[in-house]
Amino acid sequence: MARRKIIAGNWKMNMTPTEAVELINTLKPLVATDDADVVFCVPAIDIIPAMEAAKGSNIAIGAENMYFEEKGAYTGEISPAMLTDAGVKYVVLGHSERREYFAETSETVNKKMLKAFEHGITPIMCCGETLTQREQGVTMDFIRQQVKVGFLGVTAEQAATAVIAYEPIWAIGTGKTATTEQAQEVCKGIRECIAEIYDAATAEKIRIQYGGSVNAATAPELFAQPDIDGGLVGGAALKPDFGKIVNWK
Ligand code: PGA
Protein backbone atom coordinates (compact mmCIF):
# COMPACT_ATOMS: atom_id res chain seq x y z
CA MET A 1 0.00 0.00 0.00
CA ALA A 2 1.33 3.39 -0.92
CA ARG A 3 2.12 5.65 1.99
CA ARG A 4 0.05 8.83 2.20
CA LYS A 5 2.18 11.94 1.87
CA ILE A 6 2.41 14.32 4.80
CA ILE A 7 3.38 17.91 4.15
CA ALA A 8 3.95 20.01 7.24
CA GLY A 9 4.79 23.65 7.70
CA ASN A 10 7.14 24.54 10.53
CA TRP A 11 6.44 28.16 11.36
CA LYS A 12 9.30 28.42 13.90
CA MET A 13 9.21 31.71 15.90
CA ASN A 14 7.09 33.56 13.35
CA MET A 15 3.52 34.89 13.31
CA THR A 16 1.63 36.57 16.11
CA PRO A 17 -1.81 35.12 16.86
CA THR A 18 -3.38 37.81 14.66
CA GLU A 19 -0.97 37.09 11.81
CA ALA A 20 -1.52 33.36 12.23
CA VAL A 21 -5.24 33.70 11.62
CA GLU A 22 -4.61 35.90 8.57
CA LEU A 23 -2.10 33.43 7.13
CA ILE A 24 -4.39 30.46 7.64
CA ASN A 25 -7.27 32.30 5.99
CA THR A 26 -5.00 33.07 3.01
CA LEU A 27 -3.60 29.56 2.73
CA LYS A 28 -6.77 27.59 3.44
CA PRO A 29 -8.05 27.50 -0.15
CA LEU A 30 -4.53 27.04 -1.55
CA VAL A 31 -3.65 23.95 0.50
CA ALA A 32 -6.94 22.13 -0.05
CA THR A 33 -6.20 18.57 -1.24
CA ASP A 34 -7.42 15.02 -0.69
CA ASP A 35 -4.06 13.55 -1.63
CA ALA A 36 -1.94 14.38 1.40
CA ASP A 37 -2.08 15.17 5.10
CA VAL A 38 -1.47 18.89 5.61
CA VAL A 39 -0.17 20.08 8.97
CA PHE A 40 0.71 23.56 10.23
CA CYS A 41 3.09 23.37 13.18
CA VAL A 42 2.75 26.71 14.92
CA PRO A 43 4.06 28.53 18.01
CA ALA A 44 2.23 27.50 21.19
CA ILE A 45 0.42 30.81 21.58
CA ASP A 46 -0.96 30.48 18.03
CA ILE A 47 -2.38 26.99 18.51
CA ILE A 48 -5.86 27.92 19.73
CA PRO A 49 -6.57 30.74 17.23
CA ALA A 50 -5.01 28.62 14.45
CA MET A 51 -7.26 25.71 15.37
CA GLU A 52 -10.28 27.99 15.18
CA ALA A 53 -9.20 29.48 11.84
CA ALA A 54 -8.53 26.04 10.35
CA LYS A 55 -11.90 24.61 11.40
CA GLY A 56 -13.72 22.87 8.56
CA SER A 57 -10.58 22.73 6.40
CA ASN A 58 -8.10 19.92 5.74
CA ILE A 59 -5.42 21.66 7.84
CA ALA A 60 -4.34 19.90 11.04
CA ILE A 61 -2.61 22.04 13.64
CA GLY A 62 0.58 20.79 15.23
CA ALA A 63 2.95 22.06 17.91
CA GLU A 64 6.66 22.81 17.54
CA ASN A 65 7.69 21.34 20.87
CA MET A 66 6.35 19.71 24.02
CA TYR A 67 7.71 18.75 27.42
CA PHE A 68 8.00 15.14 28.58
CA GLU A 69 6.44 15.53 32.02
CA GLU A 70 2.69 15.46 32.70
CA LYS A 71 2.54 18.71 34.65
CA GLY A 72 4.16 20.63 37.46
CA ALA A 73 6.99 23.01 38.20
CA TYR A 74 8.45 23.39 34.69
CA THR A 75 8.12 27.11 34.07
CA GLY A 76 7.62 27.99 30.44
CA GLU A 77 6.93 24.47 29.18
CA ILE A 78 3.87 23.05 27.42
CA SER A 79 2.46 19.69 28.51
CA PRO A 80 1.10 16.94 26.27
CA ALA A 81 -2.37 17.26 27.85
CA MET A 82 -2.40 20.99 27.06
CA LEU A 83 -1.80 20.09 23.43
CA THR A 84 -4.40 17.32 23.19
CA ASP A 85 -6.99 19.44 24.99
CA ALA A 86 -6.48 22.09 22.31
CA GLY A 87 -6.96 19.47 19.58
CA VAL A 88 -3.32 19.08 18.55
CA LYS A 89 -2.52 15.86 16.67
CA TYR A 90 1.15 16.36 15.74
CA VAL A 91 4.25 17.66 17.47
CA VAL A 92 7.68 18.43 16.01
CA LEU A 93 10.35 16.92 18.27
CA GLY A 94 14.09 17.34 18.20
CA HIS A 95 14.32 20.01 15.53
CA SER A 96 17.98 20.89 14.97
CA GLU A 97 17.33 24.44 16.19
CA ARG A 98 16.09 23.04 19.51
CA ARG A 99 19.08 20.72 19.71
CA GLU A 100 21.45 23.58 18.92
CA TYR A 101 19.98 26.50 20.90
CA PHE A 102 17.99 24.77 23.65
CA ALA A 103 20.24 21.88 24.59
CA GLU A 104 17.94 19.11 23.40
CA THR A 105 19.61 15.76 23.12
CA SER A 106 18.49 12.50 21.59
CA GLU A 107 17.80 11.35 25.15
CA THR A 108 15.34 14.17 25.87
CA VAL A 109 13.84 13.72 22.41
CA ASN A 110 13.30 10.04 23.27
CA LYS A 111 11.46 10.98 26.48
CA LYS A 112 9.26 13.33 24.49
CA MET A 113 8.62 10.66 21.84
CA LEU A 114 7.38 8.22 24.49
CA LYS A 115 5.17 10.90 26.06
CA ALA A 116 3.71 11.95 22.74
CA PHE A 117 2.70 8.36 21.92
CA GLU A 118 1.26 7.92 25.40
CA HIS A 119 -1.04 10.87 24.66
CA GLY A 120 -1.91 9.88 21.11
CA ILE A 121 0.06 12.74 19.54
CA THR A 122 1.98 11.86 16.37
CA PRO A 123 5.63 12.93 16.66
CA ILE A 124 7.47 14.42 13.72
CA MET A 125 10.97 13.54 14.89
CA CYS A 126 13.73 15.51 13.23
CA CYS A 127 17.20 14.25 12.47
CA GLY A 128 20.00 15.47 10.27
CA GLU A 129 23.72 15.97 9.93
CA THR A 130 25.91 19.06 9.97
CA LEU A 131 27.99 20.01 6.95
CA THR A 132 31.14 18.82 8.75
CA GLN A 133 29.60 15.43 9.40
CA ARG A 134 28.60 15.12 5.74
CA GLU A 135 32.13 16.05 4.66
CA GLN A 136 33.61 13.56 7.10
CA GLY A 137 31.44 10.82 5.63
CA VAL A 138 29.61 10.04 8.88
CA THR A 139 26.14 11.25 7.87
CA MET A 140 24.40 7.89 8.10
CA ASP A 141 26.20 6.85 11.31
CA PHE A 142 25.09 10.05 12.99
CA ILE A 143 21.50 9.85 11.79
CA ARG A 144 21.21 6.17 12.68
CA GLN A 145 22.20 7.07 16.23
CA GLN A 146 19.64 9.88 16.40
CA VAL A 147 16.93 7.52 15.16
CA LYS A 148 17.94 4.59 17.36
CA VAL A 149 18.06 6.66 20.54
CA GLY A 150 14.93 8.63 19.60
CA PHE A 151 12.94 5.42 19.20
CA LEU A 152 14.18 3.59 22.31
CA GLY A 153 11.21 1.92 24.00
CA VAL A 154 8.81 2.89 21.20
CA THR A 155 6.77 -0.15 20.11
CA ALA A 156 6.56 -1.27 16.48
CA GLU A 157 2.88 -0.38 16.48
CA GLN A 158 3.67 3.17 17.60
CA ALA A 159 6.65 3.54 15.29
CA ALA A 160 4.50 2.63 12.29
CA THR A 161 2.43 5.77 12.91
CA ALA A 162 5.39 8.10 13.49
CA VAL A 163 6.85 10.66 11.13
CA ILE A 164 10.59 11.23 10.79
CA ALA A 165 11.86 14.41 9.16
CA TYR A 166 15.30 14.20 7.62
CA GLU A 167 16.69 17.73 7.68
CA PRO A 168 20.34 18.21 6.84
CA ILE A 169 21.35 21.16 9.02
CA TRP A 170 23.33 22.77 6.20
CA ALA A 171 20.16 22.92 4.10
CA ILE A 172 17.90 24.58 6.69
CA GLY A 173 17.08 28.19 5.90
CA THR A 174 20.12 28.45 3.64
CA GLY A 175 18.43 28.08 0.28
CA LYS A 176 20.66 25.02 -0.25
CA THR A 177 18.35 22.06 -0.79
CA ALA A 178 20.01 18.66 -0.63
CA THR A 179 20.06 17.11 -4.07
CA THR A 180 17.23 14.72 -4.73
CA GLU A 181 19.75 11.85 -4.69
CA GLN A 182 21.20 12.91 -1.32
CA ALA A 183 17.73 13.27 0.21
CA GLN A 184 16.48 9.95 -1.14
CA GLU A 185 19.64 8.15 -0.07
CA VAL A 186 19.36 9.25 3.56
CA CYS A 187 15.58 8.71 3.73
CA LYS A 188 16.14 5.19 2.41
CA GLY A 189 18.86 4.68 5.03
CA ILE A 190 16.47 5.82 7.76
CA ARG A 191 13.85 3.34 6.53
CA GLU A 192 16.47 0.57 6.61
CA CYS A 193 17.36 1.58 10.16
CA ILE A 194 13.69 1.31 11.20
CA ALA A 195 13.55 -2.13 9.53
CA GLU A 196 16.56 -3.20 11.59
CA ILE A 197 15.09 -1.90 14.86
CA TYR A 198 11.62 -3.31 14.14
CA ASP A 199 10.74 -5.15 10.95
CA ALA A 200 10.05 -4.61 7.25
CA ALA A 201 6.33 -4.01 7.79
CA THR A 202 6.98 -1.14 10.24
CA ALA A 203 9.58 0.38 7.91
CA GLU A 204 7.07 0.18 5.06
CA LYS A 205 4.50 2.15 7.08
CA ILE A 206 6.56 4.87 8.77
CA ARG A 207 6.52 8.19 6.93
CA ILE A 208 9.78 9.99 6.27
CA GLN A 209 9.86 13.62 5.21
CA TYR A 210 12.63 15.68 3.73
CA GLY A 211 13.16 19.19 5.06
CA GLY A 212 15.63 21.99 4.31
CA SER A 213 14.84 24.83 1.91
CA VAL A 214 11.99 22.95 0.24
CA ASN A 215 10.16 25.23 -2.18
CA ALA A 216 7.60 24.96 -4.96
CA ALA A 217 10.35 24.32 -7.51
CA THR A 218 12.16 21.53 -5.62
CA ALA A 219 9.17 19.78 -4.01
CA PRO A 220 7.92 17.79 -7.04
CA GLU A 221 11.17 15.95 -7.66
CA LEU A 222 11.85 15.38 -3.94
CA PHE A 223 8.34 14.11 -3.19
CA ALA A 224 8.45 11.74 -6.18
CA GLN A 225 11.27 9.73 -4.59
CA PRO A 226 10.32 6.27 -3.33
CA ASP A 227 11.41 6.90 0.27
CA ILE A 228 10.36 10.55 0.64
CA ASP A 229 6.83 10.80 1.96
CA GLY A 230 6.48 14.57 2.00
CA GLY A 231 8.24 17.51 3.53
CA LEU A 232 8.79 19.64 6.60
CA VAL A 233 8.81 23.16 5.25
CA GLY A 234 10.05 26.27 7.06
CA GLY A 235 10.34 29.54 5.16
CA ALA A 236 8.11 28.57 2.24
CA ALA A 237 5.30 27.51 4.60
CA LEU A 238 4.69 31.17 5.44
CA LYS A 239 3.93 32.07 1.84
CA PRO A 240 1.30 31.24 -0.78
CA ASP A 241 4.03 29.02 -2.25
CA PHE A 242 3.03 26.47 0.37
CA GLY A 243 -0.13 25.81 -1.65
CA LYS A 244 2.03 24.79 -4.61
CA ILE A 245 4.17 22.57 -2.40
CA VAL A 246 1.12 20.81 -1.02
CA ASN A 247 -0.30 20.38 -4.52
CA TRP A 248 3.07 19.34 -5.93
CA LYS A 249 1.75 16.79 -8.39
P1 PGA B 1 13.50 25.78 5.78
O1 PGA B 1 13.26 25.11 7.22
O2 PGA B 1 12.46 25.18 4.86
O3 PGA B 1 13.29 27.25 6.00
O4 PGA B 1 14.87 25.44 5.36
C1 PGA B 1 12.95 23.76 7.35
C2 PGA B 1 12.88 23.37 8.79
O5 PGA B 1 13.76 23.78 9.57
O6 PGA B 1 11.96 22.64 9.21
Side-chain angles (χ1 to χ4, degrees), residues 129-147:
E129 82 286 5
T130 61
L131 188 57
T132 309
Q133 286 164 336
R134 177 157 284 272
E135 285 167 357
Q136 289 171 337
V138 298
T139 295
M140 219 47 239
D141 302 277
F142 181 71
I143 288 169
R144 283 171 57 86
Q145 178 170 355
Q146 287 185 318
V147 171

Side-chain angles (χ1 to χ4, degrees), residues 188-209:
K188 181 166 179 270
I190 293 170
R191 201 176 301 287
E192 286 165 359
C193 182
I194 292 293
E196 281 170 38
I197 305 171
Y198 301 101
D199 47 52
T202 308
E204 220 17 71
K205 286 192 193 126
I206 197 166
R207 293 188 288 180
I208 305 174
Q209 299 173 316

Side-chain angles (χ1 to χ4, degrees), residues 40-241:
F40 287 16
C41 298
V42 307
I45 199 167
D46 294 345
I47 289 173
I48 289 174
M51 200 67 76
E52 194 58 35
K55 219 174 239 171
S57 77
N58 61 318
I59 302 167
I61 302 298
E64 297 179 13
N65 184 32
M66 181 197 88
Y67 199 49
F68 54 73
E69 294 290 353
E70 288 295 330
K71 59 158 126 177
Y74 304 103
T75 303
E77 291 296 317
I78 302 281
S79 79
M82 291 171 190
L83 296 183
T84 53
D85 186 67
V88 166
K89 299 276 188 314
Y90 297 90
V91 62
V92 177
L93 295 179
H95 190 280
S96 61
E97 287 149 16
R98 295 218 53 91
R99 295 181 195 252
E100 186 180 349
Y101 307 131
F102 305 100
E104 291 221 351
T105 62
S106 290
E107 287 71 25
T108 54
V109 172
N110 175 238
K111 288 184 183 171
K112 293 179 178 192
M113 290 281 285
L114 296 171
K115 226 5 147 190
F117 284 120
E118 200 183 307
H119 284 264
I121 306 172
T122 300
I124 300 177
M125 194 198 88
C126 302
C127 58
E129 82 286 5
T130 61
L131 188 57
T132 309
Q133 286 164 336
R134 177 157 284 272
E135 285 167 357
Q136 289 171 337
V138 298
T139 295
M140 219 47 239
D141 302 277
F142 181 71
I143 288 169
R144 283 171 57 86
Q145 178 170 355
Q146 287 185 318
V147 171
K148 284 191 167 182
V149 177
F151 278 80
L152 279 176
V154 173
T155 66
E157 209 177 28
Q158 291 169 332
T161 68
V163 179
I164 297 177
Y166 165 53
E167 299 203 307
I169 294 170
W170 49 271
I172 296 176
T174 57
K176 274 191 218 157
T177 319
T179 65
T180 305
E181 292 71 30
Q182 287 171 328
Q184 160 60 20
E185 189 188 12
V186 176
C187 290
K188 181 166 179 270
I190 293 170
R191 201 176 301 287
E192 286 165 359
C193 182
I194 292 293
E196 281 170 38
I197 305 171
Y198 301 101
D199 47 52
T202 308
E204 220 17 71
K205 286 192 193 126
I206 197 166
R207 293 188 288 180
I208 305 174
Q209 299 173 316
Y210 167 79
S213 299
V214 173
N215 59 42
T218 55
E221 203 180 287
L222 286 163
F223 295 176
Q225 299 309 304
D227 288 293
I228 302 180
D229 306 315
L232 183 58
V233 183
L238 302 171
K239 301 184 209 147
D241 238 28

